[in-house]
Structure formats: structure tokens, C-alpha cells
Amino acid sequence: DGCCRQQTESSSCCNISFMWCTFVFCVSMQHSARDYTTHHQMSLASSRLDLQASLTTASSRRAFVMSAPLLLNRPAVVNAAEAIELSTITDKEAGAMWSVPKGWPITESELSGGRKLVAAADPLDVDFNIFIAFTPIRPDYPSLGSFGNVEFVGSTILPQCGGGSCSLESDGIVGKMLESISVRGAYVYDYIIQQSGQPTRHLRTLFTIQVEEGRGKNLVTLTAQCKESRFAELSNTMRSVIESFKFAS
């Protein structure tokens, strides 16, 4: 929020803040998000991504955290013993398609400024969840290269404390990038986040740009995450979810 309060026409972090807002929302389905959000505001303030400045507000952060029970209170409809089968979601309004495990309840949130979040969680384990965010961007950003290379963008999604790397001992949170690749114009990241007193989480995230008539329209981020203790079991599903994304024709 500090970034947004100090915004100018050239300010550079608030659009990516929305992606972190959605991340905090889903990470925090069973835990408090305040400490986590504070740490990542530091990271966002140091980012140089030149994204449209007016998209993230304190109220939208609170709205995401408060909406977490919508997923927690859904009835269980998936048998844990069954093999995970994916079901395709087609969002004609957003012009995108992606997959989630069949039977998962879907929660959609429309926010001011044209922002949109669609989330889904395993009814038997809400720490295994998938969410996609659509955030409007300036039309002169037609590709991810406008924001930086795959390594630079990847550095913005890990915790940054005091302008540098975080420590679990001093900051209570730490992240580690395991893989960063560029695939067909998208950036894909595999990484872990550990916070004191909480289980280590493993995430896989795709960044891509939706264009319209050659001009930037939306920054799209699709993330699948689970506890690290379940990653060996769920890694193929998480990879399939990320690979399933495409823009609808």
C-alpha cells in the first residue's frame, strides 16, 4: 500500500501488487495474512516493473483475505482415493481457458478497475489450490519483455526484506526459486515459500500477457500451490494445470 500512496505517473509496483494480493489470499485460507502481506509490500516497493500504478488498494487486500471462508466452507465432493482428473474452465468474458481438478468448487471475484480473480481449492485440503488473476495493464505493454526478462520478473515474486533476501530467523519468511523458464511468450516459475510457524508451500506460477489488436490488455497470472509435504504426490497435476492455460479463440 505504501507504493500506491507514493505513486506518480511513472510509479512501478502496484499492478504486480495485485498478483501478490491474490497470492496472499490463497496462501492464507487457514492462516493470518497480515505478516505475509507486510513482508511482500517491501518486495513490491523495491520492484522496478513499470506497471500501471492505480490498481491496488488497501481495501482490495482486505477484501481478498475476508473472502477466504467462501472456499473453506464448501462441501467436500472429491474422494481423496480417486485419481485426479482435470476439468477445463472456459471464461469467454476473460478470453481464457485453463484446467482445475474435476469437482472442485470455483469462486470468482470481480474487483474495481476491471480486475478479476478466479480461485478453486481441494475441498479436502484447502492448502492445495489454484487461482488465476486478470489485471488490466497499459496498452503499450504488449509482451512480458516490457516488464523485464524471466529472471527479473521471477525476482519480484520471492520475498524481499530491506532490499535484499529474507531470512527465516530474522524476518520469519524465506523463498527459493527452483526453476524459471520462458515458454511460448509466457514466464513459468517453480518455487517454495516458507513462513515461521507454517508449513512450507510449493508453488508453480505462469505469467503471460493478453493482447488485443497488438496492444496489451491484461496481465494474467495462474498459480497452483500445495504444501511441500504433498508436492511429490501433486507435482504432475500442478504442472498439467499450468500447461493447460491458453487464450480462447
Side-chain angles (χ1 to χ4, degrees):
D1 296 337
C3 166
C4 296
R5 287 196 299 268
Q6 300 171 18
Q7 60 183 298
T8 66
E9 290 184 359
S10 61
S11 60
S12 63
C13 69
C14 292
N15 227 7
I16 202 71
S17 295
F18 174 68
M19 194 283 289
W20 271 118
C21 179
T22 64
F23 174 73
V24 171
F25 160 70
C26 289
V27 163
S28 306
M29 288 177 177
Q30 292 179 312
H31 311 286
S32 170
R34 291 187 179 180
D35 292 342
Y36 197 87
T37 306
T38 299
H39 281 291
H40 286 85
Q41 286 173 333
M42 298 178 185
S43 172
L44 297 170
S46 65
S47 170
R48 295 181 181 178
L49 293 178
D50 187 16
L51 301 171
Q52 197 170 3
S54 61
L55 295 174
T56 303
T57 64
S59 60
S60 68
R61 293 176 191 271
R62 289 191 293 270
F64 275 106
V65 175
M66 292 300 293
S67 63
L70 293 176
L71 290 178
L72 286 174
N73 294 331
R74 298 283 185 164
V77 296
V78 177
N79 187 335
E82 296 177 354
I84 295 177
E85 178 183 355
L86 298 182
S87 178
T88 299
I89 296 176
T90 301
D91 190 323
K92 294 182 178 180
E93 181 182 359
M97 302 172 62
W98 68 98
S99 297
V100 301
K102 189 174 183 179
W104 280 19
I106 307 297
T107 299
E108 182 175 317
S109 300
E110 297 281 353
L111 302 178
S112 61
R115 297 168 297 166
K116 181 176 183 177
L117 172 73
V118 182
D122 183 344
L124 301 180
D125 177 12
V126 293
D127 287 299
F128 178 28
N129 56 72
I130 296 160
F131 57 98
I132 187 168
F134 300 87
T135 306
I137 58 174
R138 286 167 36 178
D140 56 343
Y141 287 93
S143 70
L144 285 173
S146 302
F147 307 143
N149 61 25
V150 65
E151 289 80 15
F152 177 77
V153 173
S155 71
T156 70
I157 66 176
L158 293 179
Q160 298 292 318
C161 302
S165 299
C166 300
S167 163
L168 197 62
E169 292 75 18
S170 60
D171 303 300
I173 191 169
V174 67
K176 181 180 181 181
M177 184 65 67
L178 304 177
E179 180 184 40
S180 57
I181 58 175
S182 179
V183 182
R184 297 187 297 277
Y187 294 168
V188 178
Y189 302 98
D190 192 85
Y191 54 107
I192 57 175
I193 300 289
Q194 184 176 3
Q195 187 175 8
S196 295
Q198 296 189 17
T200 301
R201 302 176 187 277
H202 200 126
L203 304 96
R204 192 165 182 87
T205 295
L206 174 142
F207 281 74
T208 191
I209 298 297
Q210 184 178 34
V211 297
E212 188 173 68
E213 298 180 350
R215 299 167 67 83
K217 181 180 180 182
N218 285 310
L219 169 67
V220 183
T221 56
L222 173 63
T223 294
Q225 68 162 318
C226 68
K227 292 180 181 177
E228 178 64 14
S229 59
R230 294 196 65 195
F231 181 70
E233 168 195 354
L234 301 173
S235 60
N236 288 338
T237 298
M238 291 171 62
R239 184 177 295 272
S240 294
V241 167
I242 297 302
E243 293 176 349
S244 72
F245 178 84
K246 63 181 180 179
F247 291 112
S249 56

